[in-house]
Amino acid sequence: MRHRYAFAAAYLGGFLAVELAYAQLTPAAQARLIAWASTNVANLEHEPAGPLLLSAFVTPGYFATWPALIALAAFGANRALGNARTALVCLAGHVIGTLVSEGIVACRIDAG
């Protein structure tokens, strides 16, 4: 059972750990963390890896909602796909979603 849902449990545990650490920060430190972890065009130009990784774990607001949604989605996908495929789907979705959304913003900025 533990191996069957390893990815979902690891992601949910990592998310909860980061959110608990985030809750302990001062409001100014929270704002700095959110600004650094934001996957906006300005951040991705200078430091793409760090913000892209951390943005999967930092979600300001709705603390009780995200763990429930993660549990439903990740454990369901993990059951259907297995650990490796679920991790690959989550990683690809996060990266592709960021590239598409920020690519649109970058194109609009370039166009004026």
Side-chain angles (χ1 to χ4, degrees), residues 20-111:
L20 289 173
Y22 173 83
Q24 301 303 313
L25 297 175
T26 65
Q30 287 178 345
R32 283 192 307 273
L33 179 64
I34 292 300
W36 185 82
S38 175
T39 54
N40 58 34
V41 174
N43 276 0
L44 293 175
E45 283 180 342
H46 302 293
E47 172 63 39
L52 193 58
L53 176 66
L54 193 57
S55 68
F57 295 95
V58 176
T59 55
Y62 306 108
F63 179 74
T65 305
W66 282 109
L69 292 174
I70 289 169
L72 287 171
F75 282 92
N78 215 151
R79 179 175 173 83
L81 301 175
N83 288 310
R85 288 186 192 127
T86 302
L88 183 62
V89 167
C90 289
L91 177 64
H94 188 58
V95 171
I96 292 168
T98 299
L99 290 175
V100 168
S101 67
E102 295 310 310
I104 291 169
V105 170
C107 287
R108 293 180 79 186
I109 290 171
D110 286 342

Coordinates of all heavy atoms in Angstrom, one line a residue, residues 20-111:
L20 N 3.1 24.6 6.0 CA 3.2 24.8 7.4 C 4.4 25.8 7.7 O 4.3 26.6 8.5 CB 3.4 23.5 8.2 CG 2.1 22.6 8.3 CD1 2.5 21.3 8.9 CD2 1.1 23.4 9.1
A21 N 5.5 25.6 6.9 CA 6.6 26.5 7.1 C 6.2 27.9 6.6 O 6.6 28.9 7.2 CB 7.8 26.0 6.3
Y22 N 5.5 28.0 5.5 CA 5.0 29.3 5.0 C 4.1 30.0 6.1 O 4.3 31.2 6.2 CB 4.2 29.0 3.7 CG 3.5 30.3 3.2 CD1 4.2 31.2 2.4 CD2 2.2 30.5 3.4 CE1 3.6 32.3 1.9 CE2 1.5 31.6 2.9 CZ 2.3 32.5 2.1 OH 1.6 33.6 1.6
A23 N 3.3 29.3 6.7 CA 2.4 29.8 7.8 C 3.2 30.4 8.9 O 2.7 31.3 9.6 CB 1.4 28.8 8.3
Q24 N 4.4 29.9 9.2 CA 5.2 30.4 10.3 C 6.0 31.7 9.9 O 6.5 32.3 10.8 CB 6.2 29.3 10.7 CG 5.6 28.1 11.2 CD 4.6 28.2 12.3 OE1 4.9 28.9 13.3 NE2 3.4 27.7 12.2
L25 N 6.0 32.1 8.7 CA 6.8 33.3 8.2 C 6.0 34.5 8.6 O 4.8 34.5 8.7 CB 7.0 33.2 6.7 CG 7.9 32.1 6.2 CD1 7.9 32.1 4.7 CD2 9.3 32.2 6.8
T26 N 6.7 35.6 8.7 CA 6.1 36.9 8.8 C 5.4 37.3 7.5 O 5.7 36.8 6.5 CB 7.1 38.0 9.2 OG1 8.0 38.2 8.1 CG2 7.9 37.6 10.4
P27 N 4.4 38.2 7.6 CA 3.8 38.6 6.3 C 4.8 39.1 5.2 O 4.6 38.9 4.1 CB 2.8 39.7 6.7 CG 2.4 39.3 8.2 CD 3.7 38.8 8.7
A28 N 5.8 39.9 5.7 CA 6.8 40.4 4.7 C 7.6 39.2 4.1 O 7.8 39.2 2.9 CB 7.7 41.3 5.4
A29 N 7.9 38.2 4.9 CA 8.7 37.1 4.4 C 7.8 36.2 3.5 O 8.2 35.7 2.5 CB 9.2 36.2 5.6
Q30 N 6.5 36.1 3.8 CA 5.6 35.4 2.9 C 5.5 36.1 1.6 O 5.5 35.4 0.6 CB 4.2 35.3 3.6 CG 4.1 34.4 4.7 CD 2.7 34.4 5.4 OE1 1.9 35.3 5.1 NE2 2.4 33.4 6.2
A31 N 5.4 37.4 1.6 CA 5.3 38.2 0.3 C 6.6 38.0 -0.5 O 6.5 37.8 -1.7 CB 5.1 39.6 0.6
R32 N 7.7 38.0 0.1 CA 9.0 37.8 -0.6 C 9.1 36.4 -1.2 O 9.5 36.2 -2.3 CB 10.2 38.0 0.3 CG 10.5 39.5 0.6 CD 11.8 39.7 1.2 NE 12.1 38.9 2.4 CZ 11.7 39.3 3.7 NH1 11.1 40.5 3.8 NH2 11.9 38.6 4.7
L33 N 8.6 35.4 -0.4 CA 8.6 34.0 -0.9 C 7.7 33.8 -2.1 O 8.0 33.2 -3.1 CB 8.2 33.0 0.2 CG 8.2 31.5 -0.2 CD1 9.5 31.0 -0.6 CD2 7.6 30.7 0.9
I34 N 6.5 34.4 -2.0 CA 5.5 34.3 -3.1 C 6.1 35.0 -4.3 O 5.9 34.5 -5.4 CB 4.2 34.9 -2.7 CG1 3.5 34.1 -1.6 CG2 3.2 35.1 -3.9 CD1 3.2 32.6 -2.0
A35 N 6.7 36.2 -4.1 CA 7.3 36.9 -5.3 C 8.4 36.1 -5.9 O 8.5 36.0 -7.2 CB 7.8 38.2 -4.8
W36 N 9.2 35.4 -5.1 CA 10.3 34.6 -5.7 C 9.8 33.4 -6.3 O 10.3 32.9 -7.4 CB 11.3 34.3 -4.6 CG 12.5 33.6 -5.2 CD1 13.6 34.1 -5.8 CD2 12.7 32.1 -5.2 NE1 14.4 33.1 -6.2 CE2 13.9 31.9 -5.9 CE3 12.0 31.0 -4.8 CZ2 14.4 30.6 -6.1 CZ3 12.5 29.8 -5.0 CH2 13.7 29.6 -5.7
A37 N 8.8 32.7 -5.8 CA 8.3 31.5 -6.3 C 7.3 31.7 -7.5 O 6.9 30.7 -8.1 CB 7.6 30.7 -5.2
S38 N 6.9 32.9 -7.8 CA 6.0 33.1 -8.9 C 6.6 32.7 -10.2 O 7.8 33.1 -10.5 CB 5.6 34.6 -8.9 OG 4.8 34.9 -10.0
T39 N 5.9 32.1 -11.0 CA 6.3 31.7 -12.3 C 5.9 32.7 -13.4 O 5.3 32.4 -14.4 CB 5.8 30.3 -12.7 OG1 4.4 30.3 -12.6 CG2 6.4 29.2 -11.8
N40 N 6.3 33.9 -13.1 CA 6.0 35.0 -14.1 C 7.2 35.1 -15.1 O 8.2 34.6 -14.8 CB 5.6 36.3 -13.4 CG 6.7 36.8 -12.5 OD1 7.9 36.6 -12.8 ND2 6.3 37.4 -11.4
V41 N 7.0 35.9 -16.1 CA 8.0 36.0 -17.1 C 9.3 36.6 -16.6 O 10.4 36.1 -16.9 CB 7.5 36.9 -18.3 CG1 8.5 37.2 -19.3 CG2 6.3 36.3 -19.0
A42 N 9.2 37.6 -15.7 CA 10.4 38.2 -15.1 C 11.2 37.2 -14.3 O 12.4 37.1 -14.4 CB 10.0 39.4 -14.2
N43 N 10.5 36.4 -13.5 CA 11.3 35.4 -12.7 C 11.9 34.3 -13.6 O 13.0 33.8 -13.4 CB 10.4 34.7 -11.7 CG 10.3 35.5 -10.4 OD1 10.9 36.6 -10.3 ND2 9.5 35.0 -9.5
L44 N 11.1 33.8 -14.6 CA 11.5 32.7 -15.4 C 12.7 33.1 -16.3 O 13.5 32.2 -16.7 CB 10.4 32.2 -16.2 CG 9.3 31.5 -15.4 CD1 8.1 31.1 -16.3 CD2 9.8 30.3 -14.7
E45 N 12.8 34.4 -16.6 CA 14.0 34.8 -17.4 C 15.3 34.7 -16.6 O 16.3 34.4 -17.2 CB 13.8 36.3 -17.8 CG 12.8 36.5 -18.9 CD 12.7 38.0 -19.3 OE1 13.1 38.8 -18.5 OE2 12.2 38.2 -20.4
H46 N 15.3 35.0 -15.3 CA 16.5 35.0 -14.5 C 16.8 33.7 -13.8 O 17.9 33.3 -13.6 CB 16.4 36.2 -13.6 CG 16.2 37.5 -14.2 ND1 17.2 38.0 -15.1 CD2 15.2 38.3 -14.3 CE1 16.7 39.2 -15.5 NE2 15.5 39.4 -15.1
E47 N 15.7 33.1 -13.3 CA 15.9 31.9 -12.5 C 14.7 30.9 -12.7 O 13.7 31.0 -12.0 CB 16.0 32.2 -11.0 CG 15.9 31.1 -10.0 CD 17.1 30.1 -10.2 OE1 18.2 30.6 -10.4 OE2 16.9 28.9 -10.0
P48 N 14.8 30.1 -13.8 CA 13.6 29.3 -14.1 C 13.4 28.1 -13.2 O 12.2 27.7 -12.9 CB 13.8 28.8 -15.5 CG 15.3 28.9 -15.7 CD 15.8 30.0 -14.8
A49 N 14.4 27.4 -12.7 CA 14.3 26.1 -12.0 C 13.7 26.3 -10.6 O 12.8 25.6 -10.3 CB 15.6 25.4 -12.0
G50 N 14.2 27.2 -9.9 CA 13.8 27.4 -8.5 C 12.3 27.7 -8.4 O 11.5 27.0 -7.7
P51 N 11.9 28.8 -9.0 CA 10.5 29.2 -8.9 C 9.5 28.1 -9.5 O 8.5 27.9 -9.0 CB 10.4 30.5 -9.7 CG 11.8 31.1 -9.6 CD 12.7 29.9 -9.6
L52 N 10.0 27.5 -10.6 CA 9.1 26.4 -11.1 C 8.9 25.3 -10.2 O 7.8 24.8 -10.0 CB 9.7 25.9 -12.5 CG 8.8 25.1 -13.3 CD1 7.6 25.9 -13.7 CD2 9.6 24.7 -14.6
L53 N 10.0 24.9 -9.5 CA 9.9 23.8 -8.5 C 9.0 24.3 -7.3 O 8.1 23.6 -6.9 CB 11.3 23.4 -8.0 CG 11.3 22.3 -6.9 CD1 10.7 21.0 -7.4 CD2 12.7 22.1 -6.5
L54 N 9.4 25.4 -6.7 CA 8.7 25.8 -5.5 C 7.2 26.2 -5.7 O 6.4 26.1 -4.9 CB 9.4 27.0 -4.9 CG 9.0 27.4 -3.4 CD1 9.2 26.2 -2.5 CD2 9.8 28.5 -2.9
S55 N 6.9 26.7 -6.9 CA 5.5 27.1 -7.2 C 4.5 25.9 -7.1 O 3.4 26.2 -6.9 CB 5.4 27.8 -8.6 OG 5.7 26.9 -9.6
A56 N 5.0 24.7 -7.2 CA 4.2 23.6 -7.1 C 3.8 23.3 -5.7 O 2.9 22.5 -5.4 CB 4.8 22.3 -7.7
F57 N 4.5 24.0 -4.7 CA 4.2 23.7 -3.3 C 3.7 24.9 -2.6 O 3.2 24.8 -1.4 CB 5.5 23.3 -2.6 CG 6.0 21.9 -3.1 CD1 6.9 21.9 -4.1 CD2 5.5 20.8 -2.6 CE1 7.4 20.6 -4.6 CE2 5.9 19.5 -3.1 CZ 6.9 19.5 -4.1
V58 N 3.8 26.1 -3.1 CA 3.4 27.4 -2.4 C 2.1 27.9 -3.1 O 2.0 28.2 -4.2 CB 4.5 28.4 -2.5 CG1 4.0 29.7 -1.9 CG2 5.7 27.9 -1.9
T59 N 1.0 27.9 -2.2 CA -0.2 28.5 -2.7 C -0.8 29.3 -1.6 O -1.4 28.8 -0.6 CB -1.2 27.3 -3.0 OG1 -1.3 26.5 -1.9 CG2 -0.8 26.5 -4.2
P60 N -0.7 30.7 -1.7 CA -1.2 31.5 -0.7 C -2.7 31.5 -0.6 O -3.4 31.5 -1.7 CB -0.7 32.9 -1.1 CG -0.5 32.8 -2.5 CD -0.1 31.4 -2.8
G61 N -3.2 31.4 0.6 CA -4.7 31.3 0.7 C -5.3 29.9 0.6 O -4.6 29.1 0.0
Y62 N -6.5 29.7 1.1 CA -7.2 28.5 0.9 C -6.4 27.3 1.4 O -6.3 26.3 0.7 CB -7.6 28.3 -0.5 CG -8.4 29.4 -1.1 CD1 -7.9 30.3 -2.0 CD2 -9.7 29.7 -0.6 CE1 -8.6 31.3 -2.5 CE2 -10.4 30.8 -1.1 CZ -9.9 31.6 -2.1 OH -10.6 32.6 -2.6
F63 N -5.8 27.4 2.6 CA -4.9 26.3 3.1 C -5.6 25.0 3.2 O -5.0 24.0 2.9 CB -4.3 26.7 4.4 CG -3.4 25.7 5.0 CD1 -2.2 25.4 4.5 CD2 -3.8 24.9 6.1 CE1 -1.3 24.5 5.0 CE2 -3.0 23.9 6.6 CZ -1.8 23.7 6.0
A64 N -6.9 25.0 3.6 CA -7.6 23.7 3.8 C -8.1 23.1 2.5 O -8.2 21.9 2.4 CB -8.8 24.0 4.7
T65 N -8.2 23.9 1.5 CA -8.8 23.4 0.2 C -7.7 22.7 -0.6 O -8.0 21.6 -1.1 CB -9.3 24.6 -0.6 OG1 -10.2 25.3 0.2 CG2 -9.9 24.1 -1.9
W66 N -6.5 23.2 -0.7 CA -5.5 22.6 -1.6 C -5.1 21.2 -1.2 O -5.0 20.3 -2.1 CB -4.3 23.5 -1.7 CG -4.5 24.6 -2.6 CD1 -4.7 25.9 -2.3 CD2 -4.7 24.5 -4.0 NE1 -4.9 26.7 -3.4 CE2 -4.9 25.8 -4.5 CE3 -4.7 23.5 -4.9 CZ2 -5.1 26.1 -5.9 CZ3 -4.9 23.8 -6.3 CH2 -5.1 25.1 -6.7
P67 N -4.9 20.9 0.1 CA -4.6 19.5 0.4 C -5.7 18.5 0.0 O -5.4 17.4 -0.4 CB -4.4 19.5 1.9 CG -3.9 20.9 2.2 CD -4.7 21.7 1.3
A68 N -6.9 18.9 0.2 CA -8.1 18.0 -0.2 C -8.1 17.8 -1.7 O -8.2 16.7 -2.2 CB -9.4 18.6 0.3
L69 N -7.9 18.8 -2.5 CA -7.8 18.7 -3.9 C -6.6 17.9 -4.4 O -6.8 17.1 -5.3 CB -7.8 20.1 -4.6 CG -9.1 20.9 -4.4 CD1 -8.9 22.3 -5.0 CD2 -10.3 20.2 -5.1
I70 N -5.5 18.1 -3.8 CA -4.3 17.3 -4.1 C -4.5 15.9 -3.8 O -4.2 15.0 -4.6 CB -3.1 17.9 -3.4 CG1 -2.7 19.2 -3.9 CG2 -1.9 16.9 -3.4 CD1 -1.6 20.0 -3.1
A71 N -5.1 15.6 -2.6 CA -5.3 14.2 -2.3 C -6.3 13.5 -3.3 O -6.0 12.4 -3.7 CB -5.9 14.1 -0.8
L72 N -7.4 14.2 -3.6 CA -8.3 13.6 -4.6 C -7.6 13.3 -5.9 O -7.8 12.2 -6.5 CB -9.5 14.5 -4.8 CG -10.5 14.6 -3.6 CD1 -11.5 15.7 -3.8 CD2 -11.2 13.2 -3.5
A73 N -7.0 14.3 -6.4 CA -6.4 14.2 -7.8 C -5.2 13.3 -7.8 O -5.1 12.4 -8.6 CB -6.0 15.6 -8.3
A74 N -4.2 13.5 -6.9 CA -3.0 12.7 -6.9 C -3.2 11.2 -6.5 O -2.6 10.4 -7.2 CB -2.0 13.3 -5.9
F75 N -4.0 11.0 -5.5 CA -4.2 9.6 -5.2 C -5.0 8.8 -6.2 O -4.8 7.7 -6.5 CB -4.8 9.4 -3.8 CG -3.9 9.6 -2.7 CD1 -3.7 10.9 -2.1 CD2 -3.1 8.6 -2.2 CE1 -2.7 11.1 -1.1 CE2 -2.2 8.7 -1.2 CZ -2.0 10.0 -0.6
G76 N -6.0 9.5 -6.8 CA -6.8 8.9 -7.9 C -5.9 8.6 -9.1 O -6.0 7.5 -9.7
A77 N -5.1 9.6 -9.5 CA -4.2 9.4 -10.7 C -3.1 8.3 -10.3 O -2.8 7.5 -11.2 CB -3.5 10.7 -11.0
N78 N -2.6 8.3 -9.1 CA -1.6 7.4 -8.7 C -2.2 5.9 -8.8 O -1.5 5.0 -9.2 CB -1.2 7.7 -7.3 CG 0.3 7.4 -7.0 OD1 0.9 8.0 -6.2 ND2 0.9 6.5 -7.7
R79 N -3.4 5.8 -8.4 CA -4.0 4.4 -8.5 C -4.2 4.0 -9.9 O -3.9 2.8 -10.2 CB -5.4 4.5 -7.8 CG -6.1 3.1 -7.8 CD -7.4 3.2 -7.1 NE -8.2 2.0 -7.2 CZ -8.0 0.8 -6.5 NH1 -7.0 0.8 -5.6 NH2 -8.7 -0.2 -6.7
A80 N -4.5 4.9 -10.8 CA -4.8 4.6 -12.2 C -3.5 4.4 -13.0 O -3.3 3.6 -13.8 CB -5.6 5.6 -12.9
L81 N -2.5 5.3 -12.7 CA -1.3 5.3 -13.5 C 0.0 4.7 -12.9 O 0.9 4.4 -13.6 CB -1.0 6.8 -13.9 CG -2.1 7.5 -14.7 CD1 -1.7 9.0 -14.8 CD2 -2.3 6.9 -16.0
G82 N 0.0 4.7 -11.6 CA 1.2 4.2 -10.9 C 2.1 5.4 -10.6 O 1.8 6.6 -11.0
N83 N 3.1 5.2 -9.8 CA 4.0 6.3 -9.3 C 4.7 7.1 -10.4 O 4.6 8.3 -10.5 CB 5.0 5.8 -8.3 CG 4.3 5.4 -7.0 OD1 3.6 6.1 -6.4 ND2 4.6 4.2 -6.5
A84 N 5.4 6.4 -11.3 CA 6.3 7.0 -12.3 C 5.4 7.8 -13.2 O 5.7 9.0 -13.6 CB 7.1 6.0 -13.0
R85 N 4.4 7.2 -13.7 CA 3.5 7.9 -14.7 C 2.8 9.1 -14.1 O 2.7 10.2 -14.7 CB 2.5 7.0 -15.3 CG 3.2 6.0 -16.3 CD 2.1 5.1 -17.0 NE 2.7 4.0 -17.6 CZ 2.4 2.8 -17.5 NH1 1.4 2.5 -16.7 NH2 3.0 1.8 -18.2
T86 N 2.4 9.0 -12.9 CA 1.7 10.1 -12.2 C 2.7 11.2 -12.0 O 2.4 12.4 -12.2 CB 1.1 9.7 -10.8 OG1 0.2 8.6 -11.1 CG2 0.4 10.8 -10.2
A87 N 3.9 10.9 -11.6 CA 4.9 12.0 -11.4 C 5.2 12.6 -12.7 O 5.3 13.9 -12.8 CB 6.2 11.4 -10.8
L88 N 5.3 11.9 -13.8 CA 5.6 12.4 -15.1 C 4.5 13.3 -15.6 O 4.7 14.4 -16.1 CB 5.9 11.3 -16.1 CG 6.2 11.7 -17.5 CD1 7.5 12.5 -17.5 CD2 6.4 10.5 -18.4
V89 N 3.2 12.9 -15.4 CA 2.1 13.7 -15.8 C 2.0 15.0 -15.0 O 1.8 16.1 -15.6 CB 0.8 12.9 -15.6 CG1 -0.5 13.8 -15.7 CG2 0.7 11.8 -16.7
C90 N 2.2 14.9 -13.7 CA 2.2 16.1 -12.9 C 3.3 17.1 -13.3 O 3.1 18.3 -13.4 CB 2.4 15.8 -11.4 SG 0.9 15.0 -10.7
L91 N 4.5 16.6 -13.5 CA 5.7 17.4 -13.9 C 5.4 18.0 -15.3 O 5.6 19.2 -15.4 CB 6.9 16.6 -13.9 CG 8.2 17.3 -14.4 CD1 8.5 18.5 -13.4 CD2 9.3 16.4 -14.5
A92 N 5.0 17.2 -16.2 CA 4.7 17.7 -17.5 C 3.6 18.8 -17.5 O 3.7 19.8 -18.2 CB 4.4 16.6 -18.5
G93 N 2.5 18.5 -16.8 CA 1.4 19.4 -16.7 C 1.8 20.8 -16.1 O 1.5 21.8 -16.6
H94 N 2.7 20.7 -15.1 CA 3.1 21.9 -14.4 C 4.0 22.7 -15.4 O 3.9 24.0 -15.5 CB 3.9 21.6 -13.1 CG 4.2 22.7 -12.3 ND1 3.3 23.6 -11.8 CD2 5.4 23.2 -11.9 CE1 3.9 24.6 -11.1 NE2 5.2 24.3 -11.1
V95 N 5.0 22.1 -16.0 CA 5.9 22.8 -16.9 C 5.2 23.3 -18.2 O 5.4 24.4 -18.5 CB 7.1 21.8 -17.3 CG1 8.0 22.5 -18.4 CG2 7.9 21.6 -16.0
I96 N 4.4 22.4 -18.8 CA 3.7 22.8 -20.0 C 2.7 23.9 -19.7 O 2.6 24.9 -20.5 CB 3.1 21.6 -20.7 CG1 4.1 20.7 -21.2 CG2 2.1 22.1 -21.8 CD1 3.6 19.3 -21.7
G97 N 2.0 23.8 -18.6 CA 1.0 24.9 -18.3 C 1.7 26.2 -18.0 O 1.2 27.2 -18.4
T98 N 2.8 26.2 -17.4 CA 3.6 27.4 -17.1 C 4.1 28.0 -18.4 O 4.0 29.2 -18.7 CB 4.8 27.1 -16.2 OG1 4.2 26.7 -14.9 CG2 5.6 28.4 -15.9
L99 N 4.7 27.1 -19.3 CA 5.2 27.6 -20.6 C 4.1 28.2 -21.4 O 4.3 29.3 -22.0 CB 5.9 26.5 -21.3 CG 7.2 26.0 -20.7 CD1 7.7 24.8 -21.5 CD2 8.2 27.1 -20.7
V100 N 2.9 27.6 -21.5 CA 1.8 28.1 -22.3 C 1.4 29.5 -21.7 O 1.3 30.4 -22.4 CB 0.7 27.1 -22.4 CG1 -0.6 27.8 -23.0 CG2 1.1 25.9 -23.2
S101 N 1.1 29.5 -20.4 CA 0.5 30.7 -19.8 C 1.5 31.9 -19.9 O 1.2 33.0 -20.2 CB 0.0 30.5 -18.4 OG 1.1 30.2 -17.5
E102 N 2.7 31.6 -19.5 CA 3.7 32.7 -19.5 C 4.2 33.0 -20.9 O 4.7 34.1 -21.2 CB 4.9 32.3 -18.6 CG 4.5 32.3 -17.2 CD 3.7 33.5 -16.7 OE1 4.1 34.6 -16.9 OE2 2.6 33.3 -16.1
G103 N 4.1 32.0 -21.8 CA 4.5 32.3 -23.2 C 3.5 33.2 -23.9 O 3.8 34.1 -24.6
I104 N 2.2 33.1 -23.5 CA 1.2 34.0 -24.0 C 1.5 35.4 -23.4 O 1.4 36.4 -24.2 CB -0.2 33.5 -23.6 CG1 -0.6 32.3 -24.4 CG2 -1.3 34.6 -23.8 CD1 -1.8 31.5 -23.8
V105 N 1.8 35.5 -22.2 CA 2.1 36.8 -21.6 C 3.3 37.4 -22.2 O 3.3 38.6 -22.6 CB 2.3 36.7 -20.0 CG1 2.9 38.0 -19.5 CG2 1.0 36.3 -19.4
A106 N 4.4 36.6 -22.5 CA 5.6 37.1 -23.1 C 5.3 37.6 -24.5 O 5.8 38.7 -24.9 CB 6.7 36.1 -23.1
C107 N 4.5 36.9 -25.3 CA 4.1 37.3 -26.6 C 3.3 38.7 -26.6 O 3.5 39.5 -27.4 CB 3.3 36.3 -27.3 SG 4.3 34.9 -27.8
R108 N 2.4 38.8 -25.6 CA 1.6 40.0 -25.5 C 2.5 41.2 -25.1 O 2.3 42.3 -25.6 CB 0.5 39.8 -24.5 CG -0.6 38.8 -25.0 CD -1.7 38.5 -24.0 NE -2.6 39.7 -24.2 CZ -3.6 39.8 -23.4 NH1 -3.8 39.0 -22.4 NH2 -4.4 40.9 -23.5
I109 N 3.5 40.9 -24.3 CA 4.4 42.0 -23.9 C 5.2 42.4 -25.1 O 5.4 43.6 -25.3 CB 5.3 41.6 -22.7 CG1 4.4 41.4 -21.4 CG2 6.4 42.5 -22.5 CD1 5.2 40.8 -20.3
D110 N 5.7 41.5 -25.8 CA 6.5 41.8 -27.0 C 5.7 42.5 -28.0 O 6.2 43.4 -28.7 CB 7.1 40.5 -27.6 CG 8.2 39.9 -26.8 OD1 8.8 40.7 -26.0 OD2 8.6 38.7 -27.1
A111 N 4.4 42.2 -28.2 CA 3.6 42.9 -29.1 C 3.2 44.3 -28.7 O 2.7 45.1 -29.5 CB 2.3 42.0 -29.4

